[in-house]
Amino acid sequence: MIRAVHSFPRGFLWGTATAAHQVEGDNRNNDWWAWEQEPGHIALGHRSGKACDWWGGRWRDDLDRSAADGHNAHRFSIEWSRVEPTSAVWDEGAIDAYREIAKGALDRGLMPVVTLHHFSNPLWISESGGWVNPEIIPLFERYVRKVVTALQDLVGIWVTINEPNLYAVLAYAMGAFPPGGKDIGKAVRAARNLTLAHAAAYHAIHEIQPGSLVGLAHHYRAFWPARPANPLDRWAARARWRMVNDLIPRALADGRFRSLIWNERLPQAAGTQDYFGLNYYTAETIAFDPSQPGTLFSRGFFPEGSDLSPTGFIANEPEGLWEALSWAHSTGLPIFVMENGVEDPTDRLRPRYLAAHIRQVWRAVNFAWPVRGYFFWTLVDNFEWERGWTHRFGLWELVPETQERRKRPSADFFREICKANALSSDTVAAYAPEAFEWLFPPKGRMRPEATTA
Ligand code: BGC
């Protein structure tokens, strides 16, 4: 049996990622809470309720779990509606509570990585037009200045906005997130305003804290032509890739926003990333379909025979992460994998998903690409937006009614990886034996991925 150790560089960050509305509970003053109260929006009528009760103080026990499991970082987000419950009125108590969480992370040996916007907005913002109204840009900057000024002695890595690409589409084109818009033009407008809000935040944070690292978390989805030899499928996959993956990062690189609807110069956005933050979950194949103008004349489905999560939400396609890393690397920036994970209540798929994706990160590290950290989504089962509690992404299971946590085997597997700063064949054999031959093939059966960059 082959034995190998895939080591990561010293100082590599290992942790999990969370988001305020998904873990805090009782976030009554934002658009998500209001959305949850209206029937039909959330699977099975679920609500965030107490979530993981972090606002009630359970972040302490959960970060104890992270520290005990060898993590050295944690990514969490700040809830804008708590810090600024009404326009220009600041809740200093809420800011102190976030200082306490950041300090609590540091005290446990966890580097805090802080997201400033993760899908939820104060009600006063959504009532004044949300992200399609460009007036949000200076308002977001004002909030960012307040938070960064207050936390700058504790936090040095900032994620301005989580997944602006996915957020714009889900909230303004697909109707899945508040405000439930179904207009592609509005989604593109929101994407533009999100890009500019990020840029304003980037410049403001650097003014306050010149040495900080500022970026955002891009959602990358791999799109492969269903029939690779078919030029229409190739065109359709490319069109989706451009709109979903490339639109915002390109604008952040060269200051040009090139949507399929309009082009615009946004010079203030150029060069506004100190690192490339990547969220990757899955890949899909795309077939040209002239009857689907709303989805760029195409249909998407998971590759045939793929290893699917229990609800069919995610296919285990680690090559897509490799593709995402290669693309991120082409920007020349250091890279953080800011999210990666799978919903799996019985932990049947998660161990091999984890092993296979961390293997891709190691491939990149092995070519000396500057990948600096990996954050698994997520620590404890949380409120999964429009899917409510039907999706379980945690290393730890949560019983929301009792707040009981139960460890899944993947938590131990991830602990072995974090503690060793390496993925070894021994731990794969112990926790994901079914992935062993795929990751460590016997001599003479090496997969081409192991040898090419
Ligand atoms: C989001 C998380 C979400 C996860 C799994 C990501 O796109 O950033 O907030 O919970 O997907 O659904």
Side-chain angles (χ1 to χ4, degrees):
M1 190 169 97
I2 288 234
R3 295 193 72 187
V5 178
H6 292 345
S7 297
F8 285 75
R10 194 176 312 160
F12 193 84
L13 295 186
W14 292 104
T16 59
T18 55
H21 189 74
Q22 297 181 270
V23 296
E24 287 179 355
D26 282 331
N27 258 317
R28 292 164 184 269
N29 197 22
N30 71 20
D31 53 351
W32 262 94
W33 186 276
W35 183 250
E36 290 162 32
Q37 312 313 308
E38 294 172 19
H41 291 152
I42 316 292
L44 305 178
H46 285 168
R47 293 179 178 180
S48 54
K50 289 266 166 227
C52 307
D53 195 26
W54 272 32
W55 207 249
R58 285 183 209 263
W59 63 267
R60 294 187 180 81
D61 309 336
D62 285 340
L63 293 191
D64 284 348
R65 290 184 173 91
S66 307
D69 283 349
H71 308 183
N72 59 10
H74 182 73
R75 176 180 165 217
F76 67 95
S77 85
I78 308 262
E79 173 61 37
W80 186 356
S81 66
R82 287 199 191 275
V83 169
E84 193 179 5
T86 49
S87 182
V89 175
W90 306 102
D91 182 336
E92 299 295 337
I95 295 173
D96 286 348
Y98 286 117
R99 279 189 58 82
E100 220 191 307
I101 298 176
K103 184 153 184 322
L106 285 169
D107 290 345
R108 288 165 177 78
L110 305 167
M111 167 88 79
V113 173
V114 173
T115 311
L116 293 155
H117 184 275
H118 196 127
F119 296 166
S120 53
N121 301 295
L123 280 175
W124 63 269
I125 280 286
S126 57
E127 281 158 8
S128 57
W131 284 96
V132 289
N133 181 352
E135 282 167 25
I136 196 170
I137 299 162
L139 298 176
F140 182 67
E141 181 189 332
R142 183 178 69 184
Y143 148 74
V144 167
R145 282 183 183 275
K146 181 76 183 176
V147 172
V148 173
T149 304
L151 269 72
Q152 57 178 317
D153 56 325
L154 302 170
V155 177
I157 308 179
W158 300 98
V159 178
T160 56
I161 300 175
N162 183 68
E163 299 186 339
N165 55 343
L166 201 73
Y167 172 68
V169 169
L170 291 172
Y172 293 99
M174 290 176 62
F177 282 14
K182 291 205 170 143
D183 175 344
I184 188 87
K186 278 194 178 169
V188 174
R189 251 164 53 213
R192 173 216 184 251
N193 293 338
L194 286 153
T195 304
L196 287 174
H198 160 81
Y202 178 90
H203 295 300
I205 299 171
H206 275 292
E207 212 182 287
I208 299 163
Q209 202 187 15
S212 56
L213 288 182
V214 185
L216 51 71
H218 294 286
H219 183 97
Y220 186 94
R221 196 161 174 109
F223 296 110
W224 299 325
R227 293 155 298 183
N230 180 322
L232 289 173
D233 284 7
R234 288 208 303 271
W235 174 86
R238 185 71 194 161
R240 283 230 193 168
W241 188 88
R242 274 191 53 199
M243 279 305 282
V244 175
N245 293 323
D246 204 36
L247 175 66
I248 294 176
R250 273 248 236 152
L252 301 183
D254 65 10
R256 283 162 180 257
F257 186 81
R258 303 171 183 85
S259 78
L260 295 176
I261 304 182
W262 81 86
N263 292 348
E264 189 179 348
R265 279 177 184 268
L266 307 175
Q268 63 277 50
T272 56
Q273 291 185 107
D274 301 323
Y275 64 83
F276 203 99
L278 205 53
N279 292 2
Y280 174 80
Y281 288 86
T282 198
E284 62 184 302
T285 46
I286 301 297
F288 178 72
D289 183 345
S291 71
Q292 307 285 335
T295 49
L296 303 172
F297 302 102
S298 61
R299 267 177 309 115
F301 38 90
F302 287 134
E304 225 178 286
S306 51
D307 188 15
L308 289 183
S309 64
T311 66
F313 187 65
I314 285 172
N316 180 14
E317 293 290 347
E319 278 294 320
L321 177 55
W322 172 251
E323 182 184 298
L325 288 163
S326 319
W327 170 71
H329 178 56
S330 70
T331 62
L333 294 166
I335 302 166
F336 289 93
V337 177
M338 287 293 186
E339 283 179 33
N340 173 234
V342 65
E343 36 80 33
D344 183 13
T346 57
D347 217 35
R348 173 194 61 88
L349 165 60
R350 190 177 288 103
R352 66 176 176 272
Y353 180 99
L354 191 53
H357 285 78
I358 289 182
R359 155 65 161 259
Q360 299 302 326
V361 181
W362 172 78
R363 264 175 91 189
V365 157
N366 194 37
F367 287 109
W369 297 0
V371 188
R372 302 281 188 246
Y374 173 90
F375 292 85
F376 190 72
W377 187 271
T378 182
L379 182 58
V380 178
D381 288 342
N382 62 14
F383 179 74
E384 283 292 339
W385 308 114
E386 81 287 8
R387 286 152 283 128
W389 295 96
T390 62
H391 281 192
R392 301 306 186 109
F393 277 83
L395 291 174
W396 291 71
E397 179 188 348
L398 174 77
V399 185
E401 300 75 33
T402 59
Q403 287 295 323
E404 189 192 340
R405 274 84 167 144
R406 297 179 191 143
K407 195 196 269 193
R408 294 194 169 107
S410 290
D412 287 331
F413 182 27
F414 194 50
R415 182 195 60 226
E416 295 305 316
I417 296 167
C418 299
K419 285 205 158 158
N421 197 25
L423 176 73
S424 75
S425 52
D426 286 356
T427 46
V428 173
Y431 291 97
E434 73 281 15
F436 191 90
E437 276 234 345
W438 183 83
L439 292 175
F440 306 104
K443 268 207 186 94
R445 277 212 271 135
M446 286 297 276
R447 284 169 56 95
E449 59 106 296
T451 50
T452 51

